[in-house]
Amino acid sequence: MSNRLAETRSPYLRAHAENPVDWYPWGPEAFAEAQRRDVPLLISIGYSTCHWCHVMARESFADAATAEHMNRDFVSVKVDREEHPDVDGAYLSAASAFTQSLGWPLTVFATPAGRAFYAGTYFPPAARGGVPAFGDVLTAVTEAWTERRGEVLASSDAVADALRDAATRTPSPLPDAEALRAAAATILDREDRVFGGFGGAPKFPMATTLRFLQHPLIGGDEAVRRALTAMSGSELRDPDGGFFRYATGRDWTVPHYERMLTDNAQLMQVALDAGREDIVRGIADFLLRVLRRGDGAFGAAQDSESWIDGERSEGGFYRRDVAERASLEPPAVDGKVLTGWNGLAIGALSRAGAVLGEQEWVDAAAAAASVVLAINRGPRGELVRSSLDGVAARAVATASDLGLLADGLFALALAAGDADWATIALNVLSDEAAPDPVLAAHDIPTGADESDGDLPSGTAAVASAHLTAWWLGAGEAHRKRAEQMVAGLVVRALQQPLAFGALLRVVSGLHEPPRQIVAVASDRRGALASAALDADADVIAVVSPSQARAFSDAGFALFDEKDAADGVVYDCLAFTCRLPVSEPVAVRRERGAAG
């Protein structure tokens, strides 16, 4: 049997390399083989820190009899959802036609052309709880393919057509402040006033929602602080400062123990804006101590499982106190370096490092940025989705990758006072994300889901970066581009605000004129710089006169004519600035009209 997974750049795929299943990685070879043999594709999607993915692998994919059935009647494809989010999104959308219980592992049966005709999530080896046995599912799908082919093809075509129709967008005018506050009120109505956060069990941190509620236009800060207090004092937060993915209990008990870079980087920014320095420092320590790789970039996540006393234990390591852990092998970290996810970490560490005076964090952000920009490159120099052990993977960069990385680089530029990072951010933002080549080649619809789940959607991420570019003075075209991008989703966002927090934050930013503070101060640790960094503003830059000149020369008009004096602060509202002040007490912390 050909072992095709061992040399991939995904730890998740490599973990399945020794299965008796004749796995293919995602790519044209699997489709060609399914067409040659005239058998369905069995597409199994998961990720390396997914507990139930581990369980199904042990129960079914490591079983010789099950593997024989899969090898005989299917071409089996193993997909890392973190490496191929567009593929995951396409098949999640298709799977919603067959099951309401979406999640991972995602098991999809598709025609040789890749069109889904049946799907589910975890299937046990023996039927239980109303869920059929995996072997019985394989048998039923094989019979349907061989005996009722016409029905199968009609079903797959109907799903594809429905997804294409759902992807249609009609641009709408941006909502006014009243509509945005009404959307926020819908979210706040779902606040759990007993245990904090939003919704019931299972309960997620919902960082994208929290960030929307923190926008000055919205004024949901108290609910955010209540959520942070509840989460940080619960089992969702490990004693070492890192947060788990979600809790299975409404009261934040019994966590799902994997720890994601995405959740922690975003919660770090939420905590920073909420004034919870203790939470910020705990997350920073987790990122730098646990997820940071040897080259300086950040791995995707830490696993929920580890070896304890010769057996795999889900959460056992985390249930020990910190002193006991010293003698245990910690759960593995997925060392895959994802472009956009690192962008989130770069931005969080940069902003927090600047505000809290932690130069080490800013330096760590710069190191991660250097690695991503150097390593996560394709054969033509284009950014790609990920790398592993210093070698780039083939998966294309998504719109989310480009937007999140660009926004992170803008934050790094401000924290470091280095215009070069901002210029690189503009270059990243000028790229266009290419569609997944296999999806495109087979005309597989990607669905219409542009909601913000555990991280901002591609639309929200890119629009946010364009908004930041406009705030820095890179040109009115960036504001217009952000408006154009969100216009097709605002109606859905207002109807389902819990699912569109990142996009609604961008819309709120477009509605309100930005407050921009430029402190021209060579002493970045002095009282004047500290006063500026403590202000409530959309943009805060602390630069020396020469650095201000470099930003201006690079095309960032916010810094124009601000290099004449050292030791002054400019307080601006949409590029209209008050007279500069030189005393820390004269720097207003609150927002207000410039004049």
Side-chain angles (χ1 to χ4, degrees), residues 250-295:
R250 176 190 162 197
D251 57 352
W252 302 106
T253 56
V254 194
H256 194 68
Y257 285 102
E258 61 193 292
R259 299 199 287 183
M260 313 296 292
L261 177 60
T262 49
D263 297 323
N264 282 278
Q266 291 178 100
L267 286 173
M268 188 176 182
Q269 299 195 67
V270 172
L272 180 68
D273 288 350
R276 288 297 304 268
E277 183 176 339
D278 58 325
I279 297 176
V280 174
R281 291 189 176 279
I283 294 174
D285 182 64
F286 167 67
L287 296 182
L288 298 177
R289 181 178 46 81
V290 177
L291 293 189
R292 183 165 55 171
R293 305 294 83 205
D295 60 6

Side-chain angles (χ1 to χ4, degrees), residues 156-230:
S156 67
D157 288 344
V159 170
D161 291 343
L163 291 176
R164 287 193 189 90
D165 290 342
T168 302
R169 298 181 187 175
T170 302
S172 300
L174 296 189
D176 57 19
E178 183 179 354
L180 288 167
R181 292 189 183 109
T186 300
I187 296 173
L188 293 171
D189 284 344
R190 295 195 58 185
E191 183 185 5
D192 185 340
R193 297 301 292 264
V194 177
F195 298 111
F198 299 91
K203 186 176 279 187
F204 291 79
M206 300 177 67
T208 54
T209 299
L210 298 180
R211 291 282 287 153
F212 166 53
L213 294 176
Q214 286 182 307
H215 192 277
L217 178 69
I218 302 306
D221 302 271
E222 289 302 320
V224 174
R225 280 192 279 269
R226 286 191 291 268
L228 281 173
T229 298

Side-chain angles (χ1 to χ4, degrees), residues 43-83:
I43 303 170
S44 175
I45 304 175
Y47 56 105
S48 69
T49 59
C50 164
H51 170 64
W52 287 104
C53 299
H54 297 328
V55 172
M56 192 166 178
R58 289 192 290 265
E59 292 175 341
S60 296
F61 302 148
D63 178 70
T66 302
E68 182 182 6
H69 192 168
M70 293 171 66
N71 296 340
R72 182 183 67 242
D73 294 335
F74 303 90
V75 169
S76 299
V77 183
K78 179 58 72 174
V79 180
D80 183 337
R81 70 173 292 257
E82 295 171 351
E83 187 177 32

Side-chain angles (χ1 to χ4, degrees), residues 332-395:
V333 170
D334 183 333
K336 187 167 68 270
V337 175
L338 292 156
T339 297
W341 294 20
N342 270 259
L344 281 172
I346 291 163
L349 287 167
S350 296
R351 294 184 182 103
V355 171
L356 299 180
E358 292 290 348
Q359 186 61 40
E360 178 191 357
W361 300 357
V362 180
D363 293 342
S370 296
V371 171
V372 170
L373 291 167
I375 303 301
N376 287 23
R377 298 284 184 179
R380 298 178 302 281
E382 76 281 10
L383 280 167
V384 296
R385 170 70 176 171
S386 66
S387 63
L388 182 69
D389 299 331
V391 180
R394 294 189 303 172

Side-chain angles (χ1 to χ4, degrees), residues 20 59 140 153 158 166 201-202 235 257 262 293 350 352 423 432 453 498 507 535:
E59 292 175 341
L153 295 177
E235 295 176 20
Y257 285 102
T262 49
R293 305 294 83 205
S350 296
T423 299
E432 291 287 338
L498 269 171
V507 176

